[in-house]
Amino acid sequence: HRTSLADCPALKLWRSKMGGCELGTKGTDEGCCSHALVRGEPSWDFIPELQPLAGEDVVDGCGKGKFVATDLEMLLRQRGVTRLVFGGVTTSCCVATTMREAADAGF
């Protein structure tokens, strides 16, 4: 999300607050990862082994799937990509959602 959280849905903000780890705050609980989804925070960035190459496009989205409200599909089609390989941290959520969106888009 943007550091202002302007792109964060109200329901997501409310759920994080009700869960005791409000997005955008510095949680007091050691396990609170309230900044994990905020751009520029250390936990948001790529791990060193997977840093993008110089000039490589990075698609940044704030929803569960990365085909909605991003330019991912356009970038893939411009490059003639027809097959995708998926991986990520939240396989049962964001990765699976993006995979379904890709299938719906014909990849």
Side-chain angles (χ1 to χ4, degrees), residues 31-93:
C32 182
C33 59
S34 62
H35 278 233
L37 302 175
V38 179
R39 277 185 205 133
E41 292 293 328
S43 58
W44 172 86
D45 204 0
F46 291 92
I47 61 172
E49 297 85 357
L50 297 177
Q51 286 291 324
L53 300 174
E56 191 172 24
D57 287 309
V58 174
V59 177
D60 185 16
C62 61
K64 290 181 177 69
K66 297 306 166 233
F67 277 81
V68 174
T70 70
D71 58 357
L72 176 59
E73 185 174 359
M74 179 201 65
L75 292 169
L76 295 172
R77 295 209 187 280
Q78 281 181 340
R79 289 166 174 77
V81 173
T82 58
R83 294 184 181 145
L84 303 173
V85 175
F86 292 87
V89 177
T90 55
T91 305
S92 63
C93 184

